[in-house]
Amino acid sequence: MKKSVLIFGLAALFFLSGCVSSSFSKNYTSWYDEGVIPEEAFLKEDQTPEIINASENIDAKFREISSEWNWCIGSVEFNESEIRNERINSALTDLCKETGARTVLWAKKFTDTKTEFSVVPQTSYHTVTVGINSTVTYPVTTYVHNYYRVNHYDYTAYLFVPIPESYKMDYAPGFAAMDLTETEREKYKQNTGCLIDIVYKNSAAYFANLCHGDIITRINGSDIFTAEDFYRFRKNAETGDTWKIKIVRDGAEKEITLIYGLDKLMN
């Protein structure tokens, strides 16, 4: 009997672990087409991925990891009942091995409490008389719904690989820019310009003190209305060019000068 219970317990544990891994795996969304990320960036067979739990502001932690010259290659989002941290870490390690990610950032946020139920079989035994001094006993199984309350959480994870040296110049002078969303237009009270999203550490932009949330409106006299305007301007830039960048920071205009390139010594 004890052996049967042990086997059942191990089987249940394996089943639960498989469910957790499946939850993360089936909800994974790749951010890149296959073949875009170079093989050198992916996790090697002898490497162990770094699992980071963002207990508070996952967006700030996302920017911090990205700023250390990492690409986010995909994400996971789903809502489910509470999962223990050790099981999450195990599931994310499996996902990193599947995707080749070297670092994964995750967080969970309480959403609500839901009523769930399990069906519990209950067996009783009935005895009937079938003849003189003869009876038959047989089992009767009924099923009872066992209701209980369960906390649910939003689970979020971002998977990263390092940016190879040969690709870093694509981010000169050291930041990634994006268009302003409607939410950001309301937040920054600014309709035009491109938003600096990620500033990469130890780059020309980093040491020129450009920051996340700065909005570029002009470079060397050329108006920047969108991220496309910025990337069009950068396409014609050459290493060593002087950039005079007009930005809006905290509602005030400011001008920053840097030397185009990645090397901080050029600033």
Side-chain angles (χ1 to χ4, degrees), residues 189-250:
K189 307 302 180 186
Q190 179 80 22
N191 288 326
T192 60
C194 73
L195 179 72
I196 294 179
D197 186 31
I198 305 295
V199 178
Y200 295 98
K201 290 184 177 179
N202 299 322
S203 65
Y206 179 85
F207 286 100
N209 286 318
L210 285 171
C211 299
H212 164 76
D214 288 345
I215 299 171
I216 298 175
T217 59
R218 186 174 295 180
I219 305 176
N220 290 354
S222 295
D223 288 329
I224 305 296
F225 296 112
T226 64
E228 183 180 356
D229 291 336
F230 165 71
Y231 288 116
R232 187 184 300 114
F233 180 91
R234 195 185 69 173
K235 183 178 180 180
N236 298 315
E238 296 183 0
T239 300
D241 287 351
T242 298
W243 278 19
K244 294 186 180 296
I245 307 172
K246 183 174 286 188
I247 65 170
V248 176
R249 177 184 293 173
D250 298 328

Side-chain angles (χ1 to χ4, degrees), residues 1-265:
M1 178 63 72
K2 290 183 178 179
K3 183 177 180 181
S4 299
V5 172
L6 176 60
I7 292 174
F8 176 79
L10 291 173
L13 179 61
F14 177 79
F15 174 77
L16 290 172
S17 298
C19 288
V20 175
S21 294
S22 176
S23 294
F24 282 91
S25 182
K26 74 181 181 182
N27 290 291
Y28 174 73
T29 301
S30 175
W31 289 14
Y32 292 88
D33 292 333
E34 186 175 353
V36 172
I37 304 297
E39 286 296 324
E40 62 188 290
F42 291 121
L43 184 76
K44 305 299 186 293
E45 288 187 4
D46 60 343
Q47 292 179 323
T48 300
E50 181 182 12
I51 312 296
I52 301 171
N53 179 7
S55 57
E56 296 181 1
N57 191 335
I58 191 171
D59 292 334
K61 193 65 178 179
F62 176 94
R63 291 192 297 273
E64 178 184 337
I65 294 173
S66 297
S67 73
E68 294 171 349
W69 294 95
N70 288 293
W71 279 320
C72 182
I73 62 170
S75 60
V76 176
E77 290 183 321
F78 63 93
N79 184 276
E80 197 169 295
S81 56
E82 186 169 11
I83 305 170
R84 294 195 305 272
N85 286 6
E86 59 268 25
R87 289 171 58 197
I88 294 173
N89 291 339
S90 177
L92 289 174
T93 297
D94 291 341
L95 184 58
C96 285
K97 291 178 180 178
E98 290 177 24
T99 62
R102 297 198 196 188
T103 303
V104 58
L105 170 68
W106 71 271
K108 66 180 180 182
K109 182 179 180 181
F110 174 77
T111 55
D112 55 8
T113 301
K114 298 180 180 179
T115 299
E116 297 185 358
F117 69 89
S118 60
V119 179
V120 180
Q122 293 185 346
T123 302
S124 60
Y125 293 89
H126 287 223
T127 300
V128 296
T129 301
V130 295
I132 299 175
N133 298 323
S134 178
T135 60
V136 173
T137 299
Y138 61 93
V140 176
T141 300
T142 57
Y143 295 89
V144 177
H145 287 74
N146 180 29
Y147 292 90
Y148 50 91
R149 302 285 286 173
V150 177
N151 291 337
H152 276 242
Y153 296 80
D154 279 338
Y155 292 88
T156 304
Y158 296 105
L159 286 76
F160 298 86
V161 296
I163 301 175
E165 288 293 330
S166 58
Y167 285 76
K168 288 184 178 180
M169 195 60 191
D170 292 342
Y171 298 91
F175 63 84
M178 58 184 288
D179 286 328
L180 289 161
T181 65
E182 187 61 35
T183 299
E184 288 160 343
R185 291 189 184 100
E186 294 178 5
K187 175 182 178 180
Y188 297 111
K189 307 302 180 186
Q190 179 80 22
N191 288 326
T192 60
C194 73
L195 179 72
I196 294 179
D197 186 31
I198 305 295
V199 178
Y200 295 98
K201 290 184 177 179
N202 299 322
S203 65
Y206 179 85
F207 286 100
N209 286 318
L210 285 171
C211 299
H212 164 76
D214 288 345
I215 299 171
I216 298 175
T217 59
R218 186 174 295 180
I219 305 176
N220 290 354
S222 295
D223 288 329
I224 305 296
F225 296 112
T226 64
E228 183 180 356
D229 291 336
F230 165 71
Y231 288 116
R232 187 184 300 114
F233 180 91
R234 195 185 69 173
K235 183 178 180 180
N236 298 315
E238 296 183 0
T239 300
D241 287 351
T242 298
W243 278 19
K244 294 186 180 296
I245 307 172
K246 183 174 286 188
I247 65 170
V248 176
R249 177 184 293 173
D250 298 328
E253 286 192 339
K254 180 180 179 69
E255 186 172 279
I256 289 179
T257 301
L258 57 74
I259 305 299
Y260 180 75
L262 286 181
D263 192 345
K264 66 180 182 180
L265 297 179

